[in-house]
Amino acid sequence: MPNSAALVDLLIDNIGQLCIIPAYDGGPQRGPRLGDLAPVEHAALAVHMGRIAAAGPRDEVRRAYTGRDTLDAGGRLVTPGLVDPHTHLVWAGDRAEEFEQRLQGKTYMEIAAAGGGINRTVRLTRAASRADLIAQTRPRLERMLRCGTTTVEVKTGYGLETAAEITMLDAIADLNASQPLDLIPTFLGGHDIPPEYAGQADAYVDLLVNEMIPAVAEWKARRWPGPLYCDVFCEKGVFDVAQTRRILEAGLRAGLTPRLHADEFVSLGGVALATELNAASVDHLLATTPDDVARLAGSRTVAVLLPATPFGLGIPNTAPARELAAAGAAVALATDCNPGTAWCESLPFILALATRALRLTPAQALAAATINAAFAVERGDRIGSLEPGKMADAVIWDAPDYRHLSYRFGANLAQVVIKGGQV
Ligand code: NIG
Ligand code: FE
């Protein structure tokens, strides 16, 4: 019998369990569909030109494809590369001192009000050069990749003045071009009120609307052909809903898609604003009300939950994850990696937290950190699942099945990470 198998760049063979984690009707997994991993036992994955050519039962895939290279998965688990849709990965210095102060009883907001918090990192970041920021950020990206993350959203927001925010965007674009992970930039000029505008939040919003956002739009035209997001920390003591609306609407006029930090401490109405503006995501949601859960269920806005943040702050995790999932909202997970509340580069650790603090099932948590996270950054058509035609971003885990990714915690089980077909 002639061998009619097509030649592909790479065949990952001898997979014990392959989790495909398909999109649902071209969108995120919702309601009863959340956690549909479409697992295949005894599977193989064919990769060609950086994309998935086929994923399925070993016999079928091997009958149809021969690999120029072959990788033996040794009977282990293979999943899509993890997607981290909310990080503040570019910053200078650290805040270990504030961590100790919090353990001694000070709250995050008290430390911030006394000039620490985000503004402490702003001082250190403004003083750093672009090269410095890149050098400090690169090892964080390496640790993420080693833990199985292949795409990561990265926010600015530690510059809070035009030039420093543009330097952060340049650092993100430079890093995107010089290491394997794909970076998705977000302009977060509305992260806090910088010290020179203390007590004058509206004047800082004027600066954002009249100077910073136009400068960011100009940067985008020059350096970033892909989508660029605009985020705001909508919170008591930071930006109220009216100020948040002004910033996000100015961003929209400049071609930036909204996303938003809301309900981290207090529910101000940020979720209603996010759904009204058709934001890509609304994130944190610790204080989210039942009405807002219903709003999210009826919208395209992805609810991004960040369980490392209350864990890092040592406060209860009150995000209504199960209610959101049951109502049919698109739920995703992220690290929120930042120097203040959650210096966490590991999405597997987030899976461990999400299954305990948020009571998601292991399958729901994994879908939330892959396909739904991909939709939170509007790339659900290209990444987040192992469907044919998608980017070949995959992880071989030193584990027999998907439950081990959240059942076990603290050790890194990622064994081989493949990004765009490259091992
Ligand atoms: O998502 N909430 C605002 N921003 C970050 C904290 C940033 C910081 O403290 O440096 C967060 O938790
Ligand atoms: Fe954040």
Side-chain angles (χ1 to χ4, degrees):
M1 201 177 91
N3 183 359
S4 57
L7 189 66
V8 290
D9 293 336
L10 176 68
L11 193 77
I12 306 176
D13 196 9
N14 196 19
I15 298 170
Q17 184 181 66
L18 175 73
C19 291
I20 294 174
I21 323 188
Y24 176 50
D25 242 354
Q29 295 188 359
R30 297 171 182 268
R33 295 300 293 249
L34 178 62
D36 175 12
L37 305 184
V40 182
E41 316 295 322
H42 309 295
L45 189 67
V47 171
H48 196 59
M49 310 260 288
R51 291 178 185 276
I52 310 285
R58 199 177 170 205
D59 297 343
E60 275 176 32
V61 173
R62 290 209 321 179
R63 216 173 297 130
Y65 298 94
T66 313
R68 223 182 292 274
D69 286 319
T70 307
L71 203 59
D72 184 343
R76 295 183 177 86
L77 167 72
V78 172
T79 72
L82 305 179
V83 177
D84 195 340
H86 181 142
T87 83
H88 306 251
L89 211 60
V90 178
W91 75 79
D94 68 61
R95 306 226 297 274
E97 203 179 295
E98 294 181 5
F99 169 58
E100 270 189 340
Q101 289 171 352
R102 285 203 307 273
L103 295 179
Q104 285 152 8
K106 287 221 172 77
T107 68
Y108 178 74
M109 284 312 209
E110 280 165 10
I111 292 169
I118 293 170
N119 269 317
R120 184 185 157 89
T121 302
V122 168
R123 283 195 293 281
L124 297 167
T125 303
R126 284 178 176 178
S129 66
R130 191 206 300 194
D132 250 11
L133 291 175
I134 290 171
Q136 294 192 43
T137 305
R138 200 181 289 282
R140 298 172 196 144
L141 286 164
E142 282 165 9
R143 283 188 289 270
M144 288 186 151
L145 182 69
R146 269 190 258 123
C147 291
T149 299
T150 47
T151 300
V152 57
E153 184 261 11
V154 184
K155 301 176 196 299
T156 69
Y158 292 120
L160 308 189
E161 62 189 9
T162 306
E165 286 288 312
I166 298 293
T167 300
M168 289 192 75
L169 286 170
D170 277 328
I172 295 169
D174 288 354
L175 283 160
N176 181 61
S178 61
Q179 53 74 58
L181 277 112
D182 277 321
L183 271 50
I184 295 169
T186 294
F187 170 66
L188 178 57
H191 195 192
D192 204 349
I193 293 130
E196 62 276 16
Y197 282 89
Q200 306 169 67
D202 282 318
Y204 181 60
V205 175
D206 290 340
L207 180 79
L208 275 162
V209 170
N210 298 325
E211 182 185 308
M212 289 169 88
I213 289 173
V216 169
E218 188 274 327
W219 177 87
K220 181 181 182 325
R222 188 159 47 78
R223 261 211 96 171
W224 196 264
L228 181 61
Y229 296 89
C230 183
D231 193 346
V232 178
F233 188 13
C234 180
E235 187 59 54
K236 188 169 172 226
V238 194
F239 297 99
D240 65 24
V241 174
Q243 291 161 341
T244 303
R245 176 190 289 280
R246 279 190 66 206
I247 300 165
L248 295 180
E249 285 181 346
L252 271 167
R253 287 193 296 273
L256 312 185
T257 305
R259 55 184 342 120
L260 144 77
H261 285 65
D263 298 358
E264 181 173 352
F265 299 99
V266 179
S267 173
L268 296 183
V271 172
L273 179 65
T275 55
E276 181 201 322
L277 296 182
N278 218 12
S281 74
V282 59
D283 308 24
H284 283 292
L285 307 177
L286 294 183
T288 297
T289 63
D291 279 354
D292 282 339
V293 168
R295 268 197 186 93
L296 281 166
S299 82
R300 77 131 198 165
T301 301
V302 178
V304 177
L305 305 181
L306 309 167
T309 307
F311 176 82
L313 289 171
I315 61 174
N317 191 334
T318 48
R322 284 161 65 108
E323 290 82 350
L324 284 162
V331 175
L333 290 164
T335 60
D336 195 19
C337 188
N338 76 78
T341 59
W343 188 333
C344 173
E345 287 120 341
S346 165
L347 273 171
F349 182 65
I350 300 301
L351 300 181
L353 288 178
T355 45
R356 292 158 178 91
L358 297 175
R359 301 239 153 247
L360 294 179
T361 66
Q364 288 176 326
L366 183 56
T370 50
I371 188 66
N372 282 11
F375 278 104
V377 290
E378 299 184 301
R379 291 206 184 178
D381 57 335
R382 274 170 290 163
I383 58 170
S385 70
L386 296 176
E387 297 168 283
K390 281 195 158 177
M391 278 207 17
D393 294 354
V395 184
I396 304 177
W397 303 91
D398 191 4
D401 72 63
Y402 71 88
R403 293 169 304 186
H404 284 245
L405 295 186
S406 43
Y407 161 49
R408 294 157 68 176
F409 53 94
N412 183 17
L413 300 176
Q415 195 162 52
V416 179
V417 182
I418 295 140
K419 174 69 195 172
Q422 300 295 312
V423 176

